[in-house]
Amino acid sequence: MEGKFSKGVSKWQGKLGLVRDAVRQELVTRQLREHLPPPASIRILDVGSGQGTQANRLADLGYSVVGIEPSEELLEIAVRASRKSKNSAKFLKGTLEDIPDEAGGDFDLVCCHGVLMYLPDLKLSIKKLVSLARTGGLLSVLTRNQAGIAMRAGMREDWPAAIKGFDEQYYKNSVGINNVRADKPDEVIAAFQVNNAELVAWYGVRLFTDHWKDRPVPDNFEQLVEAEFQAGSREPYKQLTALTHVIARRA
Ligand SMILES: C[S@@+](CC[C@H](N)C(=O)[O-])C[C@H]1O[C@@H](n2cnc3c(N)ncnc32)[C@H](O)[C@@H]1O
């Protein structure tokens, strides 16, 4: 089960709750809630649920959620948070390639946030995700955006990396993992379409704050998130964000 991300687990934990993580989590929750029906009898699968941020937020809202995660360390954090808020989220050890039978199938929503960039084949990963949703069910995927490579480097005044970044598809990410893949939004949308899932909406995530390094959440966080949401919801800004959030529906 050792995957590419396993080397980054400790560093990832160190960044949780800092502003870049907070912006990403707030936007994903807000965007998901725009498309989700009310909680009654809605079943959600979160693949690569990590520390359980989204799984627990959705469970707190009354949704029935199962999180699948390969890292024992992150599973423990997710379970602890679920117990603390007394929600019904269930967390199971597994991977996208090896979903435990206990998880079930035919989900109303299948989430996979911040995972596909570590897996070798975008189309195959999306095919597997689509197969876990019921007909008419939703999918929510957050992936790294190729255009964000040069943007982040440029905003950090790292000119050699910015110049190289325009044409690169793989980069070293902020938790120190090499050869992480970044896809173009159109490629992610096309990967859904060839796998029998139609686009519902797509958003960019993190334009103005992506180049910040390890800053805490500021007092004006609400305004900051609103500005990020506006940028991520419209052209041309959403093309240049760090991450792409695609919501699709299985036909
Ligand atoms: C960047 S973290 C994202 C965690 C969480 N989804 C979030 O958005 O906050 C990536 C997660 O994917 C998990 N992961 C790595 N390889 C995986 C695989 N093959 N299947 C499922 N999850 C995987 C990692 O253990 C890690 O928890």
Side-chain angles (χ1 to χ4, degrees):
M1 276 200 190
E2 277 286 289
K4 212 180 227 182
F5 187 80
S6 57
K7 291 186 192 76
V9 167
S10 307
K11 271 202 178 169
W12 170 253
Q13 286 180 66
K15 291 179 185 292
L16 295 173
L18 297 174
V19 68
R20 291 169 76 253
D21 172 58
V23 166
R24 170 186 186 285
Q25 302 291 0
E26 280 304 307
L27 291 177
V28 169
T29 308
R30 176 168 174 175
Q31 289 152 191
L32 260 180
R33 290 188 71 185
E34 286 199 354
H35 303 280
L36 262 179
S41 78
I42 297 291
R43 294 171 54 247
I44 298 176
L45 183 71
D46 187 3
V47 182
S49 48
Q51 69 291 344
T53 311
Q54 293 300 328
N56 279 316
R57 282 184 188 184
L58 292 164
D60 288 346
L61 292 167
Y63 292 98
S64 167
V65 186
V66 179
I68 304 292
E69 169 55 42
S71 157
E72 300 268 7
E73 243 173 294
L74 295 177
L75 273 171
E76 258 176 50
I77 298 174
V79 169
R80 233 181 291 135
S82 164
R83 286 199 187 121
K84 195 168 169 203
S85 65
K86 298 191 169 66
N87 68 35
S88 68
K90 201 157 102 180
F91 292 95
L92 303 172
K93 186 164 169 136
T95 60
L96 176 62
E97 302 81 354
D98 192 8
I99 303 274
D101 292 344
E102 201 187 333
D106 278 338
F107 288 92
D108 300 291
L109 167 68
V110 176
C111 300
C112 188
H113 302 140
V115 181
L116 298 191
M117 55 271 248
Y118 304 109
L119 305 188
D121 189 315
L122 177 71
K123 281 189 193 141
L124 273 183
S125 301
I126 288 187
K127 183 177 185 178
K128 180 70 196 274
L129 288 169
V130 172
S131 76
L132 295 163
R134 68 166 169 81
T135 302
L138 291 172
L139 294 121
S140 167
V141 160
L142 185 73
T143 55
R144 184 66 200 183
N145 180 6
Q146 193 276 336
I149 298 178
M151 271 302 288
R152 181 192 291 175
M155 297 304 288
R156 286 184 174 168
E157 302 178 46
D158 182 348
W159 307 121
I163 292 163
K164 248 175 73 195
F166 288 108
D167 297 313
E168 274 183 341
Q169 197 191 357
Y170 292 85
Y171 70 109
K172 183 175 180 178
N173 75 358
S174 57
V175 295
I177 304 173
N178 280 312
N179 295 320
V180 177
R181 199 189 60 252
D183 300 300
K184 295 186 170 137
D186 284 351
E187 292 168 337
V188 185
I189 293 164
F192 275 109
Q193 284 164 345
V194 297
N195 283 303
N196 206 26
E198 291 306 317
L199 178 68
V200 172
W202 80 270
Y203 305 86
V205 172
R206 245 179 19 215
L207 180 69
F208 305 122
T209 51
D210 188 55
H211 63 293
W212 290 3
K213 280 191 180 160
D214 297 348
R215 286 208 214 169
V217 170
D219 290 341
N220 60 357
F221 183 63
E222 257 179 52
Q223 279 179 318
L224 182 166
V225 169
E226 184 58 30
E228 287 279 16
F229 175 73
Q230 292 300 330
S233 304
R234 65 183 76 200
E235 300 282 359
Y237 306 95
K238 67 183 192 173
Q239 297 286 349
L240 299 178
T241 57
L243 298 147
T244 305
H245 183 198
V246 175
I247 298 181
R249 188 182 298 282
R250 180 175 180 175

